[in-house]
Amino acid sequence: MQEIDAISVEDLTKIYAGKVVAVDHASFRVKQGEIFGLLGLNGAGKSTTIKMLATIVSPTSGNARVLGYDISKEGLEIRKRIGVVQQLESYDRNLTARTSLALYASLWGVDKKEFSNRINALIDKFELGEVLDRKIRWLSYGQRRRLQVLREFLHDCEILILDEPTVGMDVLARRAFLDFCKERVKGEKSTIFYTTHIVSEAEYLCDRVAIIHHGKIIALDSPKELKKKYTDAKTVCVVLKDDSYLTKLVKVLDGMQNVTRKEIMEDTPEIHIVSQDPFKLIYDLSSLFQSDSYEVESMSLTEPSLEDVIVGLVGDQTNNGVK
Ligand SMILES: Nc1ncnc2c1ncn2[C@@H]1O[C@H](COP(=O)(O)OP(=O)(O)O)[C@@H](O)[C@H]1O
Ligand SMILES: [Mg+2]
């Protein structure tokens, strides 16, 4: 028998107030045991998609199933089986972190002993040990965010739906959290549906990524395949001796056909040049540097990043006037 998809979405559309198209005929499937990322700029439609899957808002048209249950007709069955971390904060700020977590655990039917086992296993990972008995109102934003995320790991859910969970976490907390998600999926065969606008995070964490732009899914694959499929370009990195050479070089590059995009790095005389024909570019630049006496520290060739793919894709869509 074929395994039921964790999530299957078919032509899902949400139009707010009769005119704001937040999600536009989105279709995708998430397999069980997968970490699936929905990646998009602010306002792309990520939270709206999550709210429909978590049965918090209803779709305007189209449909979706979560673990085989229909989001329009079987919301209760779905809500029993999922954990959701929304973008908005949701807790009683006058309770201590521990009391608040215990309250949720009891609502989910986790008994006291099990609660204490689970919390002991989680507080170190989320670095909340020190603040567990403090009132939530005194916690920093990053600590409150970690608390909200930890809460959803307390109960046995088959799918975790996380809406930009790492916003407000510092670099170390973020990396520890992403590693924890990976471990969790491997160990318990649960599924994670994850949204983010941070490309490197999606690349590090997700098995597959759907890119959403103006409510439409414009690409879907593993980060590796996305990079293969959507960029045959490579990046040439040039580091110059000082800024004066940089200004001169930018002018020359402006007149070159073989340059898809260029990005000047902050605080260093370094420029990254994306090109479909990087070897010709390197040849042209070498001739230029010799004939026009530039002082060059280094020139190197790198593979495209997932960020290059997104900038390319989203830039194309905007240029084509797709809304
Ligand atoms: N309740 C609402 N009423 C009207 N427009 C909304 C509402 N919620 C979101 N939107 C609009 O829908 C679009 C998608 O929003 P959202 O799903 O929050 O995007 P994201 O989470 O990717 O930033 C945005 O243009 C946003 O302004
Ligand atoms: Mg959002």
Side-chain angles (χ1 to χ4, degrees), residues 288-300:
L288 174 78
F289 294 157
Q290 272 172 12
S291 67
D292 216 356
S293 60
Y294 279 76
E295 288 200 51
V296 182
E297 295 272 351
S298 68
M299 179 154 66
S300 56

Side-chain angles (χ1 to χ4, degrees), residues 1-32:
M1 204 178 86
Q2 215 192 339
E3 198 174 54
I4 296 169
D5 285 326
I7 296 171
S8 65
V9 169
E10 196 71 51
D11 263 343
L12 196 64
T13 299
K14 177 69 188 180
I15 305 174
Y16 288 112
K19 54 180 191 291
V20 183
V21 184
V23 177
D24 193 357
H25 297 88
S27 298
F28 58 86
R29 294 161 80 173
V30 180
K31 288 176 258 180
Q32 292 199 37

Side-chain angles (χ1 to χ4, degrees), residues 50 84-87 126 141-142 144-150 153 161-169 173-174 177-178 181 192-198 201 205:
I50 282 221
V84 186
V85 176
Q86 287 204 70
Q87 264 184 312
F126 284 78
Y141 178 75
R144 293 203 303 275
R145 193 70 186 147
R146 276 182 273 146
L147 178 69
Q148 196 179 352
V149 176
L150 178 152
F153 284 93
I161 298 184
L162 309 172
D163 197 2
E164 306 215 30
T166 58
V167 170
M169 290 187 196
R174 178 179 297 220
F177 170 70
L178 297 180
C181 286
I192 293 183
F193 184 82
Y194 189 95
T195 76
T196 185
H197 68 273
I198 305 168
E201 202 169 287
L205 179 71

Side-chain angles (χ1 to χ4, degrees), residues 24-156:
D24 193 357
H25 297 88
S27 298
F28 58 86
R29 294 161 80 173
V30 180
K31 288 176 258 180
Q32 292 199 37
E34 202 173 25
I35 304 184
F36 188 96
L38 189 61
L39 177 65
L41 309 179
N42 292 325
K46 303 182 293 295
S47 296
T48 304
T49 305
I50 282 221
K51 286 179 193 156
M52 288 192 277
L53 295 176
T55 75
I56 297 162
V57 304
S58 45
T60 306
S61 63
N63 202 7
R65 287 181 176 273
V66 176
L67 294 163
Y69 296 102
D70 187 317
I71 56 162
S72 304
K73 297 183 200 131
E74 295 167 298
L76 191 63
E77 294 301 327
I78 293 172
R79 288 197 293 274
K80 268 197 257 174
R81 290 169 172 82
I82 62 173
V84 186
V85 176
Q86 287 204 70
Q87 264 184 312
L88 286 179
E89 297 188 41
S90 59
Y91 22 55
D92 184 340
R93 296 165 68 92
N94 287 317
L95 298 179
T96 66
R98 190 191 298 273
T99 316
S100 169
L101 292 173
L103 204 65
Y104 274 92
S106 75
L107 284 174
W108 290 319
V110 179
D111 70 38
K112 279 198 177 138
K113 185 152 180 291
E114 188 56 29
F115 170 69
S116 121
N117 289 343
R118 288 186 189 182
I119 202 120
N120 286 339
L122 288 166
I123 47 170
D124 285 345
K125 298 250 184 225
F126 284 78
E127 289 193 35
L128 286 169
E130 276 178 35
V131 300
L132 204 58
D133 291 304
R134 231 174 262 170
K135 275 193 180 168
I136 293 173
R137 64 165 59 247
W138 305 123
L139 304 189
S140 71
Y141 178 75
Q143 289 167 335
R144 293 203 303 275
R145 193 70 186 147
R146 276 182 273 146
L147 178 69
Q148 196 179 352
V149 176
L150 178 152
R151 187 173 76 198
E152 296 306 321
F153 284 93
L154 278 176
H155 65 120
D156 305 303

